[in-house]
């Protein structure tokens, strides 16, 4: 730095520009990445009515260059060929509601994770969670709140992008926003100010500052709790007013960022929909009228059915032995009402409540709740990619998109559980996981 200090300004500028030109020249002279050819038995492209056979996929760099039959795709002589015999190739799966900084509540309660686990421990756990998720075939996550871990999700996202740790591409929301006095941990002496699992806001001015601050700290989306369990008897009640929710959406939209609302009450869902959020997550007590409004305004629903299934079992319910809890019947009814109203269903599991890497649990329960395996597989690929405004990057086996590709045993369009039998994962053109496949 001493040498540069004494140079005239124009000389410094010339040196910098010359160095940049040299780097660009080196890039231009670099040979193109070696092509990779994937040869699966079958392909589900993310949108089609079924499987295609006799298809090869040509990958170069981070993107898919061509998809077609062996006669349609021109394969370079020096291409690396990866044979995937007997396997079905699908787009990388997407989970639009995750919490990578949480682990199952039957291991450690949510309160203890927020209040007793050090940030370093939580980040260390998250690195394991991310690897397991990627190896399970989920190549993109929308992570909806660090639950007391500050902005650690931004650091994890950056570590993945730099290749420091393996993991899905992350869409992050940082701390999430709750109405002051509504969230948790709770139950402590009233004179104590206990750290909360999300960022508290009170009023329009506070909301405006917090939305901008979370964006400044790296939020890709803004998450707001439109309701929570703060009623007189601990029941869920609407939190922010419609005007307050509109302020959140207005400021986020000014920066080009969408908003996701946590909501389970009909009124909270109505307010969030009128405010202009992009997705509503949970929606347990949605009504036909609210779902009709969501469909009219293009608001998608992430049902998060797997989380309730997990917490019920933590509470003692024996799945397959005991009758289903009454709330399950309400959840089934609300999902059916949403589908009947034409609401877009995206895939979001609330993983972290249950084990990371078990994200397919959501897909299986959605089928159990009445969706077809094909509809669920689309929801976990092309449909959710569009909801996340990433349809030009991920969600399909299509030329020009990122090479996020997964090979599984069986036919997931007829049996969704086939997505559990992952044998190959590629993210952005790089092989992330392989089991029993051959390369030549």
């Amino acid at each position: 730095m001493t040498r540069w200090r004494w140079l005239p300004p124009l000389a410094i500028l010339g040196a910098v520009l010359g160095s940049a030109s040299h780097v660009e020249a080196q890039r231009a002279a670099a040979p193109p990445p070696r092509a990779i050819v994937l040869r699966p038995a079958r392909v589900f492209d993310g949108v089609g009515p079924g499987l295609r056979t006799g298809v090869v996929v040509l990958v170069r760099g981070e993107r898919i260059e061509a998809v077609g039959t062996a006669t349609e795709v021109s394969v370079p002589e020096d291409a690396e060929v990866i044979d995937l015999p007997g396997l079905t190739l699908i787009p990388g799966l997407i989970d639009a509601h995750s919490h990578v900084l949480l682990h199952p509540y039957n291991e450690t309660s949510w309160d203890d994770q927020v209040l007793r686990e050090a940030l370093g421990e939580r980040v260390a756990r998250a690195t394991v969670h991310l690897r397991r998720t990627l190896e399970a075939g989920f190549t993109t996550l929308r992570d909806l709140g660090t639950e007391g871990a500050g902005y650690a999700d931004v650091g994890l996202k950056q570590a993945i992008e730099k290749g420091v740790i393996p993991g899905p591409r992350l869409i992050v929301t940082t701390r999430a926003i709750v109405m002051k006095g509504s969230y948790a941990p709770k139950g402590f002496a009233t004179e104590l100010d206990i750290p909360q699992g999300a960022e508290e806001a009170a009023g329009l001015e506070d909301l405006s500052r917090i939305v901008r601050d979370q964006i400044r700290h790296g939020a890709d989306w803004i998450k707001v709790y439109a309701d929570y369990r703060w009623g007189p008897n601990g029941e869920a009640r609407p939190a922010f007013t419609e005007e307050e929710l509109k302020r959140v959406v207005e400021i986020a939209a000014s920066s080009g960022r969408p908003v996701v609302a946590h909501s389970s009450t009909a009124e909270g869902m109505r307010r969030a929909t009128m405010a202009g959020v992009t997705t509503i997550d949970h929606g347990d007590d949605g009504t036909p009228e609210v779902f009709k409004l969501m469909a009219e305004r293009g608001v998608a629903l992430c049902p998060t059915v797997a989380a309730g299934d997990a917490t019920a079992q933590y509470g003692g319910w024996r799945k397959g032995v005991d009758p289903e809890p009454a709330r399950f019947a309400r959840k089934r009814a609300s999902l059916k009402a949403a589908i009947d109203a034409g609401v877009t269903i995206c895939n979001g599991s609330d993983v972290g409540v249950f084990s990371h890497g078990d994200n397919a649990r959501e897909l299986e329960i959605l089928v159990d709740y009445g969706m077809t395996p094909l509809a669920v597989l689309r929801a976990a690929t092309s449909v959710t990619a569009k909801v996340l405004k990433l349809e030009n990057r991920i969600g399909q086996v299509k030329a020009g998109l990122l090479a996020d590709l997964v090979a599984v045993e069986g036919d997931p369009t007829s049996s969704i559980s086939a997505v559990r039998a992952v044998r190959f994962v590629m993210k952005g053109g790089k092989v992330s996981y392989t089991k029993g496949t051959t390369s030549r």
Side-chain angles (χ1 to χ4, degrees):
M1 292 301 294
T2 304
R3 178 172 63 90
W4 284 84
R5 188 189 308 164
W6 303 110
L7 287 174
L10 288 177
I12 294 175
L13 179 60
V16 170
L17 292 176
S19 176
S21 299
H22 179 66
V23 171
E24 290 300 320
Q26 284 184 322
R27 288 177 179 169
R34 185 186 180 191
I36 300 174
V37 179
L38 305 181
R39 297 183 182 275
R42 301 165 295 274
V43 172
F44 172 69
D45 65 6
V47 294
L51 304 179
R52 297 173 61 192
T53 58
V55 172
V56 299
V57 178
L58 177 65
V59 174
R60 193 185 295 276
E62 66 177 5
R63 295 188 179 272
I64 300 169
E65 188 170 289
V67 180
T69 64
T71 58
E72 293 171 336
V73 176
S74 178
V75 177
E77 290 184 3
D78 65 341
E80 177 186 357
V81 178
I82 299 178
D83 291 313
L84 303 169
L87 301 181
T88 302
L89 192 71
I90 63 175
L93 298 168
I94 306 168
D95 192 329
H97 192 129
S98 70
H99 294 281
V100 300
L101 286 144
L102 292 177
H103 58 104
Y105 300 168
N106 63 335
E107 296 175 357
T108 307
S109 72
W110 184 88
D111 280 12
D112 281 351
Q113 291 185 52
V114 172
L115 296 176
R116 295 179 183 273
E117 289 185 351
L119 179 60
E121 177 188 346
R122 297 187 68 185
V123 171
R125 287 180 179 274
T127 63
V128 177
H129 301 158
L130 289 162
R131 175 180 54 78
R132 289 176 178 169
T133 303
L134 183 61
E135 292 179 356
F138 286 79
T139 56
T140 299
L141 297 181
R142 183 181 63 167
D143 201 63
L144 293 188
T146 59
E147 308 291 331
Y151 306 103
D153 54 350
V154 177
L156 289 165
K157 173 186 174 179
Q158 292 169 345
I160 292 169
E161 291 173 345
K162 292 175 181 177
V164 178
I165 59 172
R169 64 188 77 252
L170 287 183
I171 300 162
V172 299
T173 58
T174 72
R175 300 174 64 185
I177 303 171
V178 293
M179 190 195 74
K180 191 171 182 63
S182 67
Y183 205 53
K186 293 181 179 179
F188 295 87
T190 55
E191 65 271 17
L192 298 179
D193 190 10
I194 300 300
Q196 295 291 284
E199 189 165 9
E200 293 186 300
L204 292 172
E205 184 176 343
D206 216 13
L207 280 167
S208 301
R209 176 187 59 80
I210 288 171
V211 171
R212 293 186 174 104
D213 196 53
Q214 291 192 0
I215 290 169
R216 180 174 70 90
H217 280 91
D220 300 309
W221 282 56
I222 294 298
K223 180 184 180 182
V224 62
Y225 282 70
D227 52 38
Y228 203 68
R229 298 185 293 273
W230 70 298
N233 300 303
E235 73 275 18
R237 299 284 299 177
F240 294 111
T241 66
E242 190 175 317
E243 181 186 11
E244 289 171 327
L245 293 172
K246 284 181 177 177
R247 176 66 61 87
V248 171
V249 172
E250 178 185 15
I251 294 172
S254 293
S255 75
R257 287 167 173 80
V259 175
V260 45
H262 164 115
S263 187
S264 61
T265 66
E267 176 58 16
M269 294 169 69
R270 187 198 67 78
R271 292 181 191 180
T273 300
M274 294 301 296
V277 304
T278 299
T279 75
I280 289 175
D281 289 40
H282 308 306
D284 296 29
D285 295 322
T287 62
E289 294 76 20
V290 167
F291 288 128
K292 181 174 182 291
L293 183 66
M294 287 175 62
E296 290 172 352
R297 291 180 170 260
V299 179
L301 172 70
C302 285
T304 66
V305 291
D309 177 81
T311 55
Q313 291 184 65
Y314 300 159
W317 173 58
R318 297 172 297 170
K319 188 171 185 175
V321 176
D322 298 332
E324 282 192 342
R327 61 188 174 91
F328 281 27
R330 296 196 302 273
K331 187 75 171 182
R332 288 177 183 270
S334 70
L335 178 60
K336 183 179 185 302
I339 294 171
D340 289 347
V343 175
T344 297
I345 305 298
C346 69
N347 178 54
S349 68
D350 216 350
V351 65
V353 174
F354 58 96
S355 295
H356 295 275
D358 191 25
N359 306 62
R361 185 175 189 164
E362 179 79 10
L363 310 184
E364 292 171 328
I365 299 176
L366 286 173
V367 171
D368 179 57
Y369 276 30
M371 293 179 68
T372 67
L374 180 59
V376 170
L377 195 57
R378 285 174 176 156
T381 53
S382 61
V383 171
T384 296
K386 187 173 182 179
V387 170
L388 298 180
K389 306 182 189 305
L390 295 173
E391 67 270 28
N392 293 325
R393 300 188 69 206
I394 60 173
Q396 296 184 52
V397 183
K398 180 181 177 182
L401 271 59
L402 291 172
D404 287 7
L405 302 164
V406 175
V408 301
E409 293 183 2
D411 176 6
T413 67
S414 60
S415 175
I416 197 63
S417 292
V419 299
R420 288 190 177 275
V422 175
R423 297 295 174 262
F424 173 87
V425 178
M426 172 180 278
K427 191 192 94 175
K430 295 181 179 180
V431 177
S432 303
Y433 173 76
T434 181
K435 181 179 180 181
T437 61
T438 59
S439 175
R440 52 188 170 85

